[in-house]
C-alpha cells in the first residue's frame, strides 16, 4: 500500500512541476479561462490530461515500440508548430481588434474538452517527458511493472497536471483583474508567448533537440531531479 501511495505522489509531483513551465496547453487554458470562464478552461484541461494519461499508459507497456516511431514524432512536431503559430496569429489578431476579444481558435464552437484532447494528442512534448521519467523510475525501482503501480502512477499524473493547469486558469483571471480588464494587453502577451514557443520549437527541430532526441536521451528530461526522489523513497518504505 505504501508503495502505491509513494508512486501516486511521485507521479503527481513530477506532473505538477512539469505543468508549470510556460507551454502551449497551459497558456491556452489560461486564455480560455479569461475569455470563456473557469468551467470551459477546466474542461479543456480535462481533455488534455485524459490524452496525456493515455499516452503515459501506452508508453509504460510499449517503450520499445515508441522508440521506433521517429517519423510519427517528426510529423507531430510540424503539426504542433503550425498550431502554435496559428494560436499566436489569433492572439495578435484579437489584440489588434479589441472588439473581437477572443482567440478565434480557442473560442471556436468545438467543445473545449475535445479541443483540449485534440491539442494534446498532436503535441508530442509529453511523450518523451514521461518516457524519460518512467525509464528513470523503473531503473530506481520506484515504479514497478504492475497494473496497480501503473494505475496509481497515472492517477497521480492526472491530478498533478490538473493542479498545474489550475495555476494558469485561476492565475489568468487574477492577471486580468490586475490589468483592469485590459484584455487586449493580455492578448499581446499571450500572443508573444505563443510566438516565442514557436521559435523555440523551430530551434529544437533544427538543432536536433526535438522529441526524437529526448526519446534517445531520457536522462536529459529529468535534469537530475530524480535524485531528490531517493530520500522520499526510503522514508516511505
Amino acid at each position: 500500500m505504501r508503495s502505491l501511495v509513494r508512486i501516486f505522489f511521485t507521479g503527481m509531483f513530477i506532473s505538477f512541476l512539469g505543468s508549470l513551465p510556460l507551454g502551449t496547453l497551459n497558456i491556452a487554458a489560461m486564455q480560455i479561462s479569461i475569455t470563456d470562464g473557469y468551467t470551459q478552461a477546466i474542461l479543456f484541461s480535462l481533455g488534455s490530461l485524459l490524452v496525456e494519461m493515455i499516452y503515459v499508459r501506452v508508453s509504460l507497456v510499449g517503450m520499445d515500440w515508441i522508440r521506433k516511431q521517429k517519423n510519427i514524432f517528426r510529423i507531430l512536431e510540424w503539426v504542433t508548430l503550425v498550431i502554435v503559430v496559428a494560436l499566436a496569429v489569433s492572439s495578435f489578431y484579437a489584440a489588434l481588434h479589441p472588439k473581437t476579444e477572443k482567440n478565434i481558435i480557442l473560442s471556436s464552437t468545438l467543445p473545449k474538452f475535445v479541443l483540449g484532447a485534440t491539442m494534446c494528442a498532436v503535441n508530442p512534448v509529453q511523450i518523451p517527458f514521461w518516457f524519460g521519467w518512467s525509464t528513470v523510475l523503473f531503473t530506481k525501482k520506484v515504479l514497478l511493472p504492475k497494473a496497480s503501480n501503473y494505475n496509481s502512477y497515472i492517477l497521480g499524473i492526472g491530478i498533478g497536471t490538473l493542479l498545474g493547469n489550475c495555476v494558469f486558469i485561476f492565475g489568468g483571471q487574477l492577471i486580468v483583474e490586475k490589468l483592469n480588464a485590459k484584455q487586449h494587453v493580455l492578448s499581446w502577451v499571450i500572443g508573444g508567448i505563443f510566438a516565442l514557443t514557436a521559435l523555440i520549437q523551430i530551434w529544437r527541430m533544427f538543432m536536433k533537440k526535438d522529441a526524437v532526441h529526448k526519446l534517445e536521451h531520457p536522462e536529459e528530461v529529468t535534469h537530475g531531479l530524480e535524485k531528490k526522489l531517493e530520500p522520499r523513497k526510503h522514508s516511505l518504505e
Side-chain angles (χ1 to χ4, degrees), residues 201-219:
Q201 175 81 348
I202 293 171
W203 179 82
R204 286 176 175 171
M205 290 167 65
F206 284 95
M207 294 300 292
K208 306 299 182 183
K209 296 291 185 180
D210 52 7
V212 174
H213 175 83
K214 291 180 180 178
L215 282 174
E216 295 173 345
H217 301 84
E219 71 282 354

Side-chain angles (χ1 to χ4, degrees), residues 174-186:
L174 181 62
I175 292 173
V176 169
E177 293 174 3
K178 293 295 183 181
L179 291 174
N180 296 320
K182 294 179 180 178
Q183 192 167 310
H184 68 284
V185 175
L186 195 57

Side-chain angles (χ1 to χ4, degrees), residues 68-136:
K68 299 175 183 178
Q69 308 309 310
K70 296 181 179 180
N71 290 333
I72 294 178
F73 283 113
R74 291 194 176 100
I75 292 172
L76 288 177
E77 285 185 328
W78 280 105
V79 173
T80 300
L81 178 61
V82 171
I83 292 175
V84 174
V85 170
L87 289 171
V89 172
S90 298
S91 295
F92 288 141
Y93 181 85
L96 291 170
H97 300 81
K99 292 183 179 180
T100 303
E101 292 187 350
K102 297 183 177 182
N103 184 304
I104 58 177
I105 295 178
L106 296 180
S107 296
S108 65
T109 56
L110 190 67
K112 295 299 180 286
F113 182 88
V114 177
L115 180 63
T118 302
M119 287 182 62
C120 185
V122 300
N123 186 357
V125 173
Q126 72 274 2
I127 299 176
F129 176 84
W130 286 114
F131 184 90
W133 270 110
S134 297
T135 300
V136 169

Side-chain angles (χ1 to χ4, degrees), residues 130-143:
W130 286 114
F131 184 90
W133 270 110
S134 297
T135 300
V136 169
L137 294 177
F138 273 129
T139 302
K140 293 184 174 294
K141 299 188 184 302
V142 176
L143 178 63

Side-chain angles (χ1 to χ4, degrees), residues 151-162:
N151 294 335
S152 182
Y153 181 51
I154 292 171
L155 181 60
I157 288 172
I159 293 176
T161 298
L162 181 60

